[in-house]
Amino acid sequence: MLKERIDFLCKKKGISRKELVEGLVTTTHFANILADRYPLAEDLAEHLAQRLQVTPPT
């Protein structure tokens, strides 16, 4: 579900996943988060929400 939502929002904003996570985490680590291999840290979720201009998860 997270992967699909991120992909949708990136497409809507016209940015790549690489651009979304630049300076935050590596694209490989982010791919592992989207594959549910690692949890999505709260601070990372907040940064991503800011970049995607959406409300962070609660």
Side-chain angles (χ1 to χ4, degrees), residues 2-3 5-7 10 16-22 24-41 44-45 47-49 52:
L2 177 62
K3 179 182 179 294
R5 183 71 175 153
I6 294 289
D7 288 344
C10 282
S16 67
R17 276 198 219 156
K18 182 178 180 179
E19 292 170 315
L20 176 64
V21 300
E22 189 173 341
L24 300 173
V25 295
T26 64
T27 53
T28 302
H29 184 69
F30 191 58
N32 284 323
I33 291 170
L34 295 179
D36 286 329
R37 292 186 189 107
Y38 296 108
L40 176 60
L44 178 57
H47 285 290
L48 296 176
L52 292 169

